[in-house]
Amino acid sequence: MTAAGELAAWVEVIVDSPGVRGCYTYRIPPELHERLAPGDVLAVPFGSRPVGAIALSRLDALPLGLDAADVRDVEDIVTTNAIAPEFWQVLQHVAEYYVTPLAQVLRIVLPPGMLGRSQRRIQLVQEPTAGEATAATLSAEATSLLVLLQAQRGDASWLFLRRQVTNAAKGLRELQQQGRARSYWQETTTPKPQTRQAVTLIQDDIDGLTSRQAEVLVALRRLGGDAWMTELLSQVGATRQVVQALAQKQRVTIASREKLRAASQPQVIPDRPLGLTKAQQAAVDAIAAAASQAKPQVFLLRGVTGSGKTEVYLQAIASVLQERKSALVLVPEIGLTPQLTDRFRARFGNRVSVYHSGLSDGERYDTWRQLAAAEPRVVIGTRSAIFAPVQQLGLIVLDEEHDDSYKQDRPQPCYHARTVAQWRSRLSTCPLVLGSATPALETHAAAESGRVQRLDLPERIGAKSMPPVQVVDLRAELAQGNRSVLSQSLRAALEGLVDSDRQGILFLPRRGHSTFVSCRSCGEPLTCPQCDVSLTFHQVGNYLSCHYCGFRRSHPRHCPACESPYLKKFGTGTQRLVETLQADLPQLRVLRFDRDSTRNKGAHRQILDRFRAGEADVLVGTQMLTKGLDVPTVTLVGVVAADGLLNMADFRAGERAFQLLMQVAGRAGRGERAGQVIIQTYMPNHPAIASVCAYDYDGFVAREWQQRRETGFPPSCRLISLRVSSQQQDKAIAFCEKLVAHLENVNADMLGPCPAQVERVGGWFRWHILLKEPDGRRWRVKETYSALTALPSPPSQVRFGIDVDPLRLL
């Protein structure tokens, strides 16, 4: 053990090597004892070559099984605080709370390629003269390195230098201490910094210049005296030789400079802050006051759809930027990002950055490094953006905070962005705003208990009324002989959109063409060979697909079971709904907005831009279109089949259905014209439907919360789901039994083990165990984790995962 007051002599690291998992231990040499800290980028020997590594933690003692004689030394600290201490604490919280090794957390949160294979390079910072290179003040090793670096034009790989100079590490430390050299890492198989030539004005004098050269100089002055070479040449239609001639005449300088990659953005028209209602102003004042006082207060901004929550975000963020701090804004879906980004760019210009999984690896890599700088910015992104390394964080916003998309289901860590945002709020001492028209029950409970301060926006902007909701009983439609997916009421409303300047939205919770295909001779459905589910038919491409594992096959001509040619498609997905509209109402222009139609980069923006531009009368989509879509000309919202939301075997099904239906209803009537909502269902008396018709959030929550208390489910308790899967069912069951035996004394109630609702997915049999902490009992995640990690390693054929606070139990 390390003596009192003595620094730990060992460090645990993640090595930067492809295919290598887990952690490795190195000795900290005496000269690095005082400086090395978690989050530093290190140079370590790995096998026969030096690699990069991230320091995870300093250790007082070697892990069991390691011999000190076999442990190698850290070579150097390449970058200190590569992961800021404050951000490092957030990652440690994630690892501990979500029962996931810190190394795995880092691999998930860092941008793609950040931990890819790289090489260490050495660069001269101060070019010495020939005399200095052999100065007596330098050791032989340092002198040899200087001479070698000069021969390599001031930059060489560390591997090359080590092979040429004996004891090169000693010489490098000497050069670094004197400020003559620096060490850095260059990615070799991951995105590299992109460089372009930049032109800078140094003398604004046109005497002695040709007319063409003078024209370029005037254009450069007009561009502010600094411009990218390509942009300058396109402005005046000149050649590079003209600019090079200006450089020779010492009017400009030409230099290579890094050009940060970013997603292309269309031009936006700058706007100004809007006038606020009394409720909006009160919300902005409360948030801005907490931000200026660096107070980690959590606010619930509960506002009906169309009440101006986004304007509250904008004006609160403006006050944060004035204090030279940054803001982080999260949205649940990538599809929302373009619309929100345009609104924010119109207000804040180029201070807005976007960070989400839809960016290319190079764009994410550059954006990550840009955010790590201290410049105040507004960062907009999806769930993973909660880990963006924003400096001087002054405000965090989660829009549509109730949305399930904020929870990562797999792989571990199965984090919830709302929970992580609360940790970042506390560690950054900044407020957190949770915005929603239908807050999650957990957030509502926190507001009722006083842990969260509630800010209400009870009315739409301009005192517009909420659109009336009409419920169509599909049983009555069927009794009247209507077997179409469109009820008479919805069909009439759609016909009213023809040749008008009004638009409609049709919501259907299923993509694809048909829910399943079945044989009318033997009755067998076409199922996935790897999952216990039916295949969904997709008209575009004429194929069948499994929406669980991704299996695809072409549509067969005969039944695989009995060879009958009589195959029939059942159920309706978004593709089939579009097909029905085009056949029954050909005068309507229709666009489809679902996961299939938005696979290509930029497709979300393209489809929504076309709809806003009036190129379509109706937008057909899944739940992607229920979130944040604001089109003033939308007067009709139709829910084609609400029953798929109401009949899921999950204790949160009613809450999800109510939230989705309330959200999609709020897309109508946001402009000058009144809206209408038509919900088609076979269950018109369902409590969720009744609450949506009355826009009664409080009444719905009161009933739902009471049911949760009676059944012992969140927010009246907390859960951990233990997931076990194997391609051999008996092995999955056997490992579940081991878990049960080991967890008998854990301070929580245990349910299971039992098979998942869809037991087999991708050829793997899935079982799970649920741990419940009843209300009033202290939650001990650490104790549970200790019990789990004490288990013998599961067989190689068994997968095991832990989901803390799961949202789905299917």
Side-chain angles (χ1 to χ4, degrees), residues 189-209:
T189 61
T190 60
K192 298 179 181 179
Q194 187 181 79
T195 59
R196 291 172 60 184
Q197 284 193 321
V199 184
T200 303
L201 182 68
I202 58 174
Q203 186 180 347
D204 191 5
D205 178 9
I206 62 173
D207 290 342
L209 301 181

Side-chain angles (χ1 to χ4, degrees), residues 101 105 134 147 157 309 369 388 484 522 556 561 585 615 633 685 714 722 756:
V105 174
T134 57
V147 172
S157 75
K309 292 187 290 293
R369 293 186 302 116
S484 170
C522 69
L585 299 168
E615 294 183 25
T633 51
N685 298 319
L722 309 180

Side-chain angles (χ1 to χ4, degrees), residues 14-57:
I14 304 174
V15 296
D16 179 4
S17 185
V20 176
R21 296 291 177 184
C23 305
Y24 292 82
T25 302
Y26 288 85
R27 192 178 75 88
I28 305 173
E31 62 270 19
L32 301 181
H33 266 213
E34 299 291 336
R35 296 190 291 130
L36 193 149
D40 289 349
V41 175
L42 310 177
V44 299
F46 192 75
S48 61
R49 60 188 177 87
V51 300
I54 293 182
L56 294 181
S57 60

